[in-house]
Amino acid sequence: MYSDESESYVARTLWFEYVLAWKKLPCKYKQYTKGTCFNIEKVIASTDEDIAGSYIFLSVIDLANQVSSRNKLSQIPPKKIKRLDMMSLEAKELRKSLSNLREFDWDMAFAGKNRADFDFIFGTTMTTWFKSLWRDNIKKNKSEYIPISIGRNRCLGLKELINLEIEAENRVINREIKDYLYVVFPGLIGWSEIVEYMRQGNYLSLHLEMIECNVTPATLLLKCQELGIGTHTTRYKISSQLKALGLADYDQQRLLSTTYGQSYNYLLDEYLNPKLNSESNIGLSKWSKNLHDRITEAKKINLEKLIDLPSAKRNYTDFMNNFFPSFQEYIKILEKRKVDISQALEQLRDLYYEYEMSTQAESSHQIENTVISPNNFHEPEYNSNSIMLQGYESCISEQAVRDLFEGTSKHSTIKRIIPPVSIDVEGIIRRICVIPQEFSFGVKQVYNESLLLNLEKQQCTVFRANLAEIIQHSEIPLSEEQGLLIKSLKNYISMNLEQINEIKENTKSPHQPLMMNSISRSDISGPLGLKLVQEYNNPWVATFTKIKRHREGGINVESFEADQLQFQRVEQYLTGKVHNFESLLVTMFNKYGVPFQKTANMAQDLYLNVD
């Protein structure tokens, strides 16, 4: 039985094989019946213009040509393959792109093939090798089982999770606490408004102490992205896959390796990354780095010029020819150490059974999620006449309602009592001040707390000053009654908006606004779906606001001085960029705590349902 994802791949394979290999219509089209033969003038790649998208297209063409070759049919020549710049889903923009097709990015595609082939060869070979060792030397009965998965993403993902936990624990041990003074202005404003709002006291200011003491799925995703572990469609699944294997677990928003996961990494890493001489090119981590370098180079070259097909094939072959000899040597090393590896697997078996019997996975890296200082933040006050915050909500019978309207009821009025509404003050501060989930923080002082709820409903301009130096010599210049106690604002530095034009001109990327103007309510999955659409557009809303202010002679501020304090702008989004898939996952998690898979499902539904 296939999963939904597998079924879609099977359906696409059959469709493209029929169309591209046999060159026949797969269904009735206008006056033409199913099976009518046709000629192919050109094949247009409209997949994402990145490594994964280019490789997907290449794999379709390769499969079609293989089928054609087996059946002595004509293959699709490279000269008929073109690339579509699909930067918008609007019909006008698509027609414009179709009139300006360009050459296909072959080296990007073959770099993707390098990655797919490496992951398949290494993952399949190593998982099979370890499982055969388990089956032949350790397994005592048919029911005995431990989940063994030696894929690149999961093994390296687990290793990086444990490294991140150790780093977080060391920060707690060393009390690497940061002191920051935040100032938050309503709206996306420039220098003149900043000066005026400061004079009027129209801002929120908070003195926060914080420490990066947690590891979250977002932390791990960004680390794997940095190291080139996985792809944008596989990285976000690593956390849940580790949990399914018993190697990690969730504690609210935190991601923790289990004792079994730590032992799994400790016992197997010695064999996945054997310690040979410093120049040795053997081991999963080294191969993964080489693969990351290959992909990075392909992306870089693609920005400068397109490489022809023969050169792209040569680059692919060179990489595989460097990998295969070292992989064969690696297998010989493992064969010599079968006894040691068998003992390691026996230990894993015992540990897995202990883990399976326990009700909750343990973790040796327990990091206390402690509020560093007393949180003296006051709950916002409400007008008691607008809503009632005490009592309960109940229903009355149909007869009681009839008696009321007929004047025979003993009740003179009907009153609906609304229960108190819980306000997530910590979450609001995180969202406004752009504080990721891996940080724990405490509020030391706050000015203008009544602005808090209103600020969350709009985009804000946020600045932050590091108090590390002045806190040793003087008091924090913040009063809960008077606000920031400063005498002058000076030495502002403007934002460099030239990078926006450079990004748009030089970067061939699918991550541009899709201009989804035709979104309807039926495309949005409830309130969270609406938040997702808003988040998708927020980076460009912020960018366009800055561009407009700049063109009108205004000043977009990057930093400024306030007496001895140096305030630096805090940005939720990268200027000039729209969300890509992974940045959307991270933002929805950090701001609203939405699990990756839920965001992924909503994003897929929204993308597929747009007219």
Side-chain angles (χ1 to χ4, degrees), residues 228-475:
I229 300 171
T231 71
H232 69 279
T233 58
T234 60
R235 269 189 289 265
Y236 78 95
K237 299 175 183 177
I238 292 176
S239 298
S240 57
Q241 289 169 344
L242 293 178
K243 184 178 187 303
L245 292 169
L247 304 172
D249 205 354
Y250 296 116
D251 177 14
Q252 296 181 342
Q253 303 292 359
R254 293 190 297 169
L255 181 66
L256 306 169
S257 60
T258 61
T259 50
Y260 171 63
Q262 293 156 25
S263 300
Y264 190 99
N265 176 73
Y266 174 76
L267 291 170
L268 295 185
D269 188 61
E270 179 182 352
Y271 308 109
L272 295 174
N273 294 292
K275 294 177 176 60
L276 305 174
N277 62 71
S278 60
E279 297 180 0
S280 172
N281 191 33
I282 290 179
L284 178 57
S285 294
K286 290 186 178 180
W287 290 325
S288 185
K289 183 183 183 304
N290 292 342
L291 182 62
H292 182 48
D293 291 343
R294 158 77 172 117
I295 288 170
T296 302
E297 183 66 17
K299 290 179 180 178
K300 178 182 176 182
I301 292 175
N302 187 59
L303 297 179
E304 301 167 356
K305 63 178 180 179
L306 290 175
I307 290 181
D308 58 28
L309 179 56
S311 299
K313 286 183 175 180
R314 189 162 52 249
N315 289 342
Y316 165 82
T317 304
D318 288 346
F319 178 87
M320 300 309 292
N321 284 343
N322 285 328
F323 165 63
F324 278 128
S326 62
F327 188 57
Q328 290 169 344
E329 185 180 349
Y330 172 69
I331 295 296
K332 292 177 183 178
I333 293 173
L334 294 185
E335 289 288 344
K336 291 178 181 178
R337 303 192 64 182
K338 269 189 175 181
V339 175
D340 295 335
I341 298 173
S342 296
Q343 291 175 352
L345 290 177
E346 284 188 75
Q347 293 181 60
L348 280 179
R349 176 192 60 191
D350 298 338
L351 289 166
Y352 180 71
Y353 289 158
E354 287 179 19
Y355 165 79
E356 205 175 32
M357 291 173 63
S358 64
T359 54
Q360 293 182 349
E362 294 180 359
S363 174
S364 63
H365 299 300
Q366 291 289 350
I367 302 172
E368 294 184 3
N369 190 6
T370 307
V371 176
I372 303 157
S373 57
N375 192 332
N376 62 351
F377 194 89
H378 307 297
E379 290 285 346
E381 295 181 359
Y382 293 89
N383 182 347
S384 59
N385 294 324
S386 59
I387 56 175
M388 301 183 67
L389 299 180
Q390 295 179 349
Y392 60 92
E393 183 174 355
S394 62
C395 299
I396 59 176
S397 66
E398 182 182 349
Q399 183 60 49
V401 174
R402 189 177 292 111
D403 292 342
L404 178 68
F405 284 98
E406 290 177 355
T408 58
S409 172
K410 297 178 181 179
H411 305 282
S412 59
T413 59
I414 293 179
K415 188 184 298 181
R416 187 182 187 194
I417 309 298
I418 301 176
V421 177
S422 175
I423 298 174
D424 179 17
V425 174
E426 179 186 339
I428 294 173
I429 294 174
R430 280 191 187 278
R431 289 188 283 275
I432 291 175
C433 296
V434 197
I435 303 173
Q437 295 285 349
E438 54 263 32
F439 286 86
S440 286
F441 69 89
V443 181
K444 300 279 286 186
Q445 282 181 293
V446 59
Y447 166 71
N448 235 353
E449 63 189 65
S450 59
L451 282 178
L452 191 66
L453 292 180
N454 289 331
L455 286 172
E456 199 203 6
K457 298 174 184 176
Q458 56 185 300
Q459 294 211 49
C460 305
T461 305
V462 185
F463 292 88
R464 182 177 76 181
N466 192 330
L467 300 175
E469 295 185 5
I470 78 154
I471 204 169
Q472 300 174 3
H473 305 99
S474 58
E475 293 184 359

Side-chain angles (χ1 to χ4, degrees), residues 475-601:
E475 293 184 359
I476 305 302
L478 177 65
S479 164
E480 294 191 355
E481 293 77 28
Q482 302 174 55
L484 288 172
L485 305 175
I486 55 178
K487 297 178 182 178
S488 66
L489 301 177
K490 58 185 179 180
N491 296 339
Y492 66 81
I493 297 177
S494 300
M495 298 182 71
N496 178 17
L497 297 181
E498 293 179 2
Q499 58 180 312
I500 299 174
N501 292 328
E502 292 174 3
I503 289 171
K504 291 174 71 176
E505 289 174 4
N506 297 335
T507 302
K508 297 182 178 71
S509 167
H511 308 309
Q512 301 289 341
L514 291 180
M515 299 303 191
M516 291 189 266
N517 298 325
S518 55
I519 294 175
S520 69
R521 291 181 181 273
S522 62
D523 299 322
I524 299 173
S525 307
L528 273 181
L530 182 60
K531 285 185 183 297
L532 183 141
V533 173
Q534 291 171 334
E535 278 304 326
Y536 180 81
N537 291 317
N538 276 343
W540 276 94
V541 171
T543 297
F544 289 149
T545 302
K546 292 167 188 170
I547 292 173
K548 181 180 178 183
R549 180 179 296 110
H550 179 71
R551 288 175 177 171
E552 292 175 352
I555 300 170
N556 295 289
V557 180
E558 182 67 36
S559 64
F560 66 89
E561 292 180 18
D563 293 347
Q564 73 270 44
L565 294 174
Q566 179 72 39
F567 280 93
Q568 188 71 32
R569 194 181 191 112
V570 179
E571 291 280 23
Q572 178 80 60
Y573 314 108
L574 181 63
T575 299
K577 291 280 188 178
V578 73
H579 274 304
N580 59 34
F581 179 60
E582 290 183 314
S583 69
L584 187 62
L585 292 174
V586 170
T587 300
M588 291 294 286
F589 176 83
N590 280 332
K591 291 184 74 172
Y592 308 110
V594 183
F596 287 167
Q597 191 60 55
K598 188 170 185 63
T599 298
N601 292 342

Side-chain angles (χ1 to χ4, degrees), residues 149-159 264-265 272 284:
S149 177
I150 315 294
R152 180 172 69 101
N153 292 354
R154 293 172 190 175
C155 289
L156 293 180
L158 175 61
K159 184 176 183 177
Y264 190 99
N265 176 73
L272 295 174
L284 178 57

